[in-house]
Amino acid sequence: MLTYMYKPLIVKSAGLRTAMMASVICDSVLVTGSNRGIGLELVRQLVKSPKSPGHIFAGCRDPGGTKAQELHVLAQKHQGVITVVQLDTDSPDSIEEASKLVESKLNGKGLNLIINNAGVNIPGSLAETGKKEMVDSCMTNVVGPMLIAKNFHPLLCKAAAQFPQSSMSCSRSAVVNVSTLLSSITRCPENFYRSPMYPYRISKAALNMLTRCLAEDFRKDGILVMSIHPGWVQTEMGGPQALLTTAKSVSGMIKVITRLTEKDSGTLLDWEGNNIPW
């Protein structure tokens, strides 16, 4: 499978090379926060896809903990494809060590896709929000994805360089940041009073600016960067009253991600591909 996917490197035709790349979602992907909810479902659907990546790196804070048991069962069923990686996005040292591990597993190849899914939802009105809530939210939802992008940038560049004549896509090189409709400054008046959530809204709005900055910074390297809103999903974070199952949300997200092109870099889209204003 891996040999087949990298045959485009010796093909002279850029059009044929692009077509071969499109035969799989991507060769390699890192999903953060993959021990539960959307992250776990992303790993599950990616590995079961007919166009499954050859390498799926499933990052989670505590691989040995009880919350990672379902991920380990999935990884056991798909040995050689899923690698569980200790990755605490609040820890610069953990991120650096994870990047080294991923690099060693790729055997000289680059990393095609990062899905920055790890995040926290600390709800709170203004009266309930203090320094700790804001710092904790920003550390996980903004600083973590920034350090992931920084540390894995060389591997993303290596992946993009393997297909220099191809346009931007997740099969070439991309970073997808999981954001939210509640991060939209334009849409805030429509939904603020239902869900004030100061720490969550503000940190995810900052994540959107990170997406915009990275999109401009990485454009020269051929790396696509965008944010995606998964919808209101029935997870530990979204609650049981949410409108979408994780399966339906993730199915839509994967469809959107696989269809991304250069025009989508620096945008915020929802799980159905609709544009959300900043």
Side-chain angles (χ1 to χ4, degrees):
M1 181 177 181
L2 292 177
T3 302
Y4 169 78
M5 287 189 292
Y6 279 92
K7 282 183 179 179
L9 291 171
I10 60 173
V11 176
K12 298 300 182 181
S13 166
L16 181 55
R17 179 165 55 238
T18 302
M20 297 284 274
M21 287 172 62
S23 65
V24 292
I25 294 170
C26 60
D27 183 44
S28 56
V29 56
L30 167 68
V31 182
T32 69
S34 63
N35 61 301
R36 61 180 182 175
I38 290 172
L40 180 61
E41 186 63 24
L42 278 165
V43 174
R44 182 182 290 115
Q45 290 196 26
L46 285 169
V47 79
K48 291 183 177 180
S49 169
K51 300 179 180 180
S52 173
H55 297 280
I56 299 174
F57 298 99
C60 67
R61 180 174 298 183
D62 183 14
T66 56
K67 291 184 177 181
Q69 288 181 353
E70 196 171 349
L71 174 61
H72 278 293
V73 170
L74 187 63
Q76 193 68 27
K77 290 179 180 177
H78 301 277
Q79 295 182 44
V81 178
I82 298 176
T83 301
V84 178
V85 180
Q86 195 284 322
L87 180 54
D88 180 354
T89 58
D90 286 354
S91 168
D93 290 340
S94 176
I95 293 171
E96 185 175 355
E97 288 304 311
S99 68
K100 291 177 182 177
L101 174 62
V102 170
E103 182 177 21
S104 70
K105 295 288 186 180
L106 289 172
N107 297 318
K109 300 183 179 71
L111 177 66
N112 298 113
L113 175 62
I114 295 174
I115 303 178
N116 275 317
N117 166 72
V120 293
N121 177 4
I122 301 177
S125 64
L126 182 60
E128 297 167 328
T129 301
K131 176 182 176 180
K132 185 180 188 307
E133 289 76 19
M134 289 302 298
V135 170
D136 289 351
S137 292
C138 288
M139 185 67 202
T140 302
N141 294 344
V142 189
V143 179
M146 183 199 74
L147 293 177
I148 292 282
K150 178 181 177 181
N151 280 269
F152 284 87
H153 183 227
L155 288 176
L156 292 166
C157 286
K158 184 176 286 189
Q162 289 171 323
F163 302 100
Q165 302 303 317
S166 301
S167 58
M168 287 184 178
S169 69
C170 73
S171 60
R172 185 184 180 194
S173 188
V175 177
V176 174
N177 294 322
V178 177
S179 188
T180 172
L181 172 66
L182 300 182
S183 68
S184 171
I185 295 172
T186 301
R187 301 282 294 273
C188 183
E190 301 172 15
N191 51 45
F192 176 77
Y193 290 102
R194 291 196 302 273
S195 308
M197 304 171 69
Y198 273 73
Y200 186 63
R201 285 178 179 270
I202 294 170
S203 61
K204 289 294 189 177
L207 175 67
N208 291 345
M209 177 55 83
L210 173 65
T211 294
R212 206 66 179 106
C213 290
L214 291 174
E216 296 307 316
D217 199 7
F218 288 3
R219 191 179 301 277
K220 64 184 183 301
D221 304 314
I223 302 167
L224 187 154
V225 186
M226 59 85 67
S227 287
I228 192 165
H229 164 53
W232 187 16
V233 187
Q234 296 166 7
T235 62
E236 186 175 320
M237 186 182 292
Q241 73 277 24
L243 302 176
L244 289 173
T245 63
T246 53
K248 188 170 184 179
S249 168
V250 167
S251 176
M253 288 172 66
I254 290 175
K255 287 177 183 177
V256 172
I257 291 170
T258 55
R259 294 170 183 169
L260 293 173
T261 64
E262 187 167 352
K263 68 178 176 59
D264 300 308
S265 194
T267 64
L268 169 60
L269 305 177
D270 71 10
W271 63 284
E272 294 180 304
N274 301 307
N275 187 274
I276 299 173
W278 295 120

